[in-house]
Amino acid sequence: MTDAALGRASDLILAAAKRPPIRVESLFDEPTFTATHVVYDPATRHGAIVDSVLNFDAASGRTSTRGADAIIDYVKRESLTIDWLLETHAHADHLSAAPYLQAELGGKLAIGREITTVQNVFGKVFNFGTEFARDGSQFDHLFDDGETFALGDVPAIALHVPGHTPADVAYVIGDAAFVGDTLFMPDYGTARADFPGGDARALYRSIRRLMALPGATRLFLCHDYKAPGRDHYVWETTVGAERASNIHVHDGIGEDAFVEMRTRRDATLDLPHLILPSVQVNVRGGRLPPPEDNGARYLKLPLDVF
Ligand SMILES: [Fe+2]
């Protein structure tokens, strides 16, 4: 079966390689090991922010915009116009700062079309009422697989890459791909596939799809955890490097072997400590729950569900 969306993405990357590369500035949030990427067209200075973080202290319930403010400072200093606030998926390890960034910088908030599946799952888990729409309407745009868009003069395309969650999207922008939680650095491997709706087999297929992009494609990851023996964080690699040496999924590792490894490893992992706060905020597009009649906002803690 031919993969038309993947073919368009590859063509786009090969064409982009003949132009000045897109610029990427990454800010790393060490408490959640998350890399937020500001990506822009150097010619028009139009850009996007991929996977932002709202700082959150679970013990006190206090949020902070410290990290987001650093992004705002960068965008203003560089005189960028933000067209898009892109989420690769509904994160389970940090709260998104996208609504805060949008209020300050503009741009359209977007995620993959399948977010509605994730909203249905967690709408039930948290017993949200009818005030919680499960149609993705908290976002300005829902991307379909193969849908094109642009940052200034730089063409871009969304690829649906489910597995970590049902809704993951990789954004190919110019000569780079922002792959969210599919691949990590070659020495660290791949994302877990055991969250509700996750699927190791689907993850393998999504990763092989990304690995079919041109070898020189720059990959920007959502997380890095410093593999054993490495003393610094890295969140950029290439398709070629992943194919050659990703410890979980380099060329030659088949689907069944990957699924067996991934399933065994996932069974040993603790849940991310911010999963319950994160998902109930992120399925709302990063908005905190509405205030109660005393003006305070509350998160829910489902007991004995996970
Ligand atoms: Fe994730």
Side-chain angles (χ1 to χ4, degrees):
M1 199 179 80
T2 60
D3 185 336
L6 186 67
R8 284 204 298 282
S10 295
D11 290 347
L12 191 154
I13 290 165
L14 292 171
K18 301 188 184 109
R19 301 157 40 120
I22 52 151
R23 301 255 175 86
V24 181
E25 173 77 10
S26 304
L27 292 92
F28 193 71
D29 179 62
E30 191 162 12
T32 66
F33 307 101
T34 303
T36 297
H37 307 293
V38 182
V39 45
Y40 64 96
D41 169 15
T44 63
R45 305 193 82 72
H46 280 253
I49 298 168
V50 185
D51 290 332
S52 61
V53 176
L54 182 70
N55 304 109
F56 180 65
D57 180 65
S60 61
R62 184 156 287 281
T63 63
S64 152
T65 57
R66 188 177 64 251
D69 288 332
I71 293 170
I72 291 167
D73 288 348
Y74 176 81
V75 166
K76 291 192 170 161
R77 197 162 61 237
E78 296 295 323
S79 304
L80 306 181
T81 302
I82 296 301
D83 294 338
W84 293 97
L85 300 143
L86 301 174
E87 297 287 328
T88 55
H89 63 296
H91 306 278
D93 52 11
H94 66 271
L95 281 62
S96 168
Y100 176 74
L101 292 171
Q102 184 178 43
E104 295 290 319
L105 299 172
K108 284 197 273 190
L109 173 56
I111 200 164
R113 168 84 54 201
E114 290 300 315
I115 188 63
T116 56
T117 304
V118 179
Q119 288 179 325
N120 270 309
V121 169
F122 286 107
K124 289 195 187 83
V125 165
F126 289 103
N127 197 28
F128 288 151
T130 50
E131 97 290 351
F132 176 61
R134 292 146 212 229
D135 58 0
S137 55
Q138 298 87 346
F139 299 85
D140 301 310
H141 188 77
L142 302 181
F143 277 108
D144 289 314
D145 184 51
E147 185 176 344
T148 54
F149 61 108
L151 295 187
D153 294 337
V154 173
I157 186 166
L159 294 175
H160 183 211
V161 287
H164 172 62
T165 79
D168 286 59
V169 167
Y171 298 100
V172 171
I173 302 173
D175 64 312
F178 297 80
V179 299
D181 292 8
T182 51
L183 288 156
F184 296 135
M185 288 302 288
D187 59 3
Y188 197 84
T190 56
R192 65 196 297 171
D194 60 336
F195 294 152
D199 181 336
R201 208 162 279 284
L203 179 61
Y204 180 87
R205 291 174 189 176
S206 292
I207 288 171
R208 294 315 305 182
R209 199 173 182 221
L210 292 172
M211 285 183 167
L213 294 170
T217 306
R218 292 189 288 163
L219 301 182
F220 289 89
L221 318 177
C222 186
H223 298 293
D224 185 55
Y225 305 93
K226 276 191 212 166
R230 175 151 58 81
D231 64 1
H232 59 290
Y233 295 107
V234 186
W235 45 79
E236 179 181 351
T237 180
T238 63
V239 166
E242 295 282 17
R243 288 184 64 164
S245 62
N246 185 291
I247 57 166
H248 291 168
V249 70
H250 61 73
D251 283 359
I253 293 181
E255 182 170 313
D256 288 343
F258 174 82
V259 170
E260 201 270 324
M261 177 286 303
R262 191 65 264 172
T263 306
R264 194 161 23 85
R265 183 172 156 78
D266 286 349
T268 70
L269 300 177
D270 293 330
L271 287 178
H273 81 280
L274 292 182
I275 185 172
L276 296 172
S278 297
V279 290
Q280 63 191 295
V281 167
N282 293 339
V283 293
R284 297 179 190 271
R287 285 175 201 86
L288 302 176
E292 297 194 1
D293 56 13
N294 63 353
R297 301 171 191 272
Y298 294 83
L299 292 172
K300 279 184 158 183
L301 206 55
L303 300 179
D304 304 318
V305 172
F306 286 96

